[in-house]
Amino acid sequence: MAGGKPAPAAAKPKIAMPAMWTAHGSKGTVYMLGSIHALPKNVNWQTPQLMARVKQADVFVFEVPMDEASRAHAAAYFRDNALMPGGTSLPSLFDEEMRSDFRDVVMLTNADPTYIVYMRPWLAAMVLEGVASGPAGFYSAGGVDDKIYAVAKGGGVGEFRPLEGDEDQFRLVIREGHEQDEGTDLRFTFKGILAHHGKGDQGLLAAWMKGDTKALDAILPENKGTSARFRKEWLDNRNRKWAPEGEAMLNEPHTFFMTVGAAHLVGKTGVPNLLRAAGYRVDGP
């Protein structure tokens, strides 16, 4: 108790049962877990079945490198591309509709625009989505990827593989440095926040927690305005690059544990179905 006031009660734990897949090859096995990269602190997703598979694996695969040096490099790249060029403000990219939406988003979420107006559109979108998630907050340190990496590292696993580099992802986020293209994505972010009344997209989290793959496939593209371009660039193209990586793993004498964003594992063009189409047995939803 501080200042005579009781400490706020901790949020009640919520149990999640995220979907998993198992791909079988001539030599190898690949467990695939759909990740949410940032989660509230009160979500418990580390089920006994999931953790048993973690213990069986001897190689861990993530979207990007997870080691400390790579994380530091990614943070530096993040900082170098975080702010608008000198003398330029974010609202200078807006048309009248976006100006109106920005005002509404700020009012709805109580976000502080003082710093946002100097951010690149991609970072403004990330910050506003974070504010819209509400007081519980979503934390990357509580995300599935970081937790799985910490467990594997703590268990003495020595081999980790990335499916792509940090800069591959950043190039998608920052639209190859074109602020106007980033602005288009920010417009979708405004619309999404307003559509959910500034409360974040709780449907996404709920679907993931239930392991509802059909709902995930339907909801995730919606976050970017049901954009066909988003689906192609962020999901389909990358899945088609990653599926051959999965095929190669299935021909190695290892047990792999692959942790990637949940959107990459669901639907017809998800990695599990691409492996099935290539003739491999994949168990799971």
Side-chain angles (χ1 to χ4, degrees):
M1 182 179 294
K5 295 182 179 180
K12 184 179 179 180
K14 297 180 179 180
I15 305 301
M17 302 288 289
M20 288 196 68
W21 292 256
T22 305
H24 306 271
S26 59
K27 298 180 180 179
T29 300
V30 179
Y31 295 126
M32 291 176 278
L33 172 64
S35 167
I36 296 290
H37 300 308
L39 283 172
K41 292 180 178 180
N42 65 326
V43 176
N44 182 357
W45 50 268
Q46 295 163 307
T47 66
Q49 180 186 33
L50 188 158
M51 298 311 294
R53 292 174 177 177
V54 169
K55 290 181 180 179
Q56 293 170 15
D58 60 322
V59 182
F60 284 75
V61 181
F62 298 91
E63 291 185 25
V64 295
M66 299 292 289
D67 61 278
E68 187 174 341
S70 296
R71 297 291 84 200
H73 175 74
Y77 194 85
F78 181 104
R79 290 191 300 270
D80 290 344
N81 292 277
L83 301 180
M84 294 289 291
T88 307
S89 70
L90 176 62
S92 69
L93 302 178
F94 297 169
D95 56 23
E96 191 57 38
E97 180 185 29
M98 284 193 74
R99 288 179 185 277
S100 176
D101 284 350
F102 181 54
R103 288 192 296 267
D104 291 345
V105 166
V106 168
M107 292 293 292
L108 190 61
T109 63
N110 294 315
D112 183 353
T114 306
Y115 301 105
I116 294 174
V117 295
Y118 296 107
M119 295 176 181
R120 288 272 292 269
W122 71 267
L123 181 56
M126 183 181 296
V127 168
L128 289 169
E129 286 174 341
V131 174
S133 69
F138 285 67
Y139 302 88
S140 60
V144 175
D145 315 70
D146 283 1
K147 292 291 188 182
I148 291 292
Y149 179 75
V151 170
K153 194 74 174 176
V157 172
E159 187 170 355
F160 299 88
R161 299 185 191 179
L163 292 168
E164 61 190 16
D166 285 298
E167 294 187 14
D168 295 323
Q169 286 195 0
F170 271 121
R171 278 193 287 270
L172 288 172
V173 171
I174 67 174
R175 307 319 242 141
E176 304 290 350
H178 300 300
E179 286 90 357
Q180 289 290 350
D181 290 339
E182 290 178 51
T184 299
D185 292 340
L186 181 58
R187 184 189 300 273
F188 287 135
T189 297
F190 290 167
K191 297 298 185 186
I193 291 172
L194 294 173
H196 293 100
H197 307 290
K199 297 181 180 179
D201 186 359
Q202 298 301 316
L204 169 61
L205 178 60
W208 177 81
M209 289 179 64
K210 295 177 183 176
D212 189 340
T213 58
K214 290 184 178 179
L216 280 171
D217 187 38
I219 291 171
L220 282 158
E222 179 185 306
N223 290 341
K224 293 295 180 181
T226 320
S227 166
R229 186 195 68 190
F230 166 78
R231 176 118 205 173
K232 180 180 179 182
E233 293 179 356
W234 274 96
L235 301 178
D236 295 347
N237 289 352
R238 294 165 76 203
N239 293 352
R240 290 190 175 95
K241 290 180 181 177
W242 296 352
E245 297 279 350
E247 291 187 54
M249 294 174 204
L250 291 170
N251 288 288
E252 294 184 45
H254 292 289
T255 299
F256 296 85
F257 195 100
M258 179 190 295
T259 307
V260 296
H264 294 286
L265 302 181
V266 299
K268 294 180 180 179
T269 59
V271 173
N273 272 335
L274 292 178
L275 291 175
R276 286 174 178 137
Y280 294 92
R281 174 187 155 203
V282 180
D283 300 329

